[in-house]
Amino acid sequence: MRSRRETTRPPAIRWGPEHQPLGPSEDLPDAEDDYATPDLLALPVEWENNDAWLAEPRRTALAVEVVPTLSPVSHLATKTSWYAVAGVPTLLALDPRNGSWTLYTHPRDGAYQGILHGKYGEPVPLPAPLPAELDTSGLPLYAPRS
């Protein structure tokens, strides 16, 4: 069983009138102790005054996961599946190992129906209510392993 912990929220960075990136966790519906903490999460602005540390996944505008340096492929697949089951509308996976990104949209029946792949330098087309696209030209790569 996971313990519930307090989280410190970073300063709000407003992306638009309705959503802002924050750092809380999202809970899996119907599973009290199952949750994920994405690397970045965009939630409605009213969340700013909420003391809860678990967000409702379906109210999330965007979850972002950055692939760790030594992450096995199955790790990302498991997380992607979790977000789809939870109903997170949009998931962006960034992979600094090879400079690629994958945008997952339209979760249904535990899987994302929309999947778009790209490389750093190509803009990520974001669905409303987010800005039209995300510039990836300045995203860093991991240093080569020696």
Side-chain angles (χ1 to χ4, degrees), residues 32-124:
E32 182 178 324
D33 290 323
D34 197 1
Y35 60 90
T37 304
D39 294 307
L40 178 71
L41 189 59
L43 295 166
V45 169
E46 61 265 16
W47 178 267
E48 185 175 14
N49 297 321
N50 190 328
D51 289 333
W53 68 278
L54 286 176
E56 182 183 337
R58 287 173 174 76
R59 295 200 60 215
T60 301
L62 174 69
V64 178
E65 285 288 345
V66 178
V67 177
T69 309
L70 300 174
S71 179
V73 174
S74 61
H75 175 74
L76 181 59
T78 300
K79 281 192 152 191
T80 301
S81 176
W82 187 97
Y83 287 115
V85 167
V88 173
T90 307
L91 170 64
L92 176 60
L94 301 173
D95 193 341
R97 297 174 304 178
N98 60 16
S100 65
W101 54 262
T102 304
L103 183 68
Y104 300 91
T105 58
H106 303 89
R108 186 175 65 233
D109 299 327
Y112 282 103
Q113 306 305 304
I115 301 174
L116 181 64
H117 301 282
K119 292 281 185 190
Y120 286 12
E122 300 171 352
V124 179

Side-chain angles (χ1 to χ4, degrees), residues 119-145:
K119 292 281 185 190
Y120 286 12
E122 300 171 352
V124 179
L126 297 173
L130 297 165
E133 59 184 32
L134 177 67
D135 179 9
T136 63
S137 62
L139 294 178
L141 295 172
Y142 289 136
R145 293 181 62 192

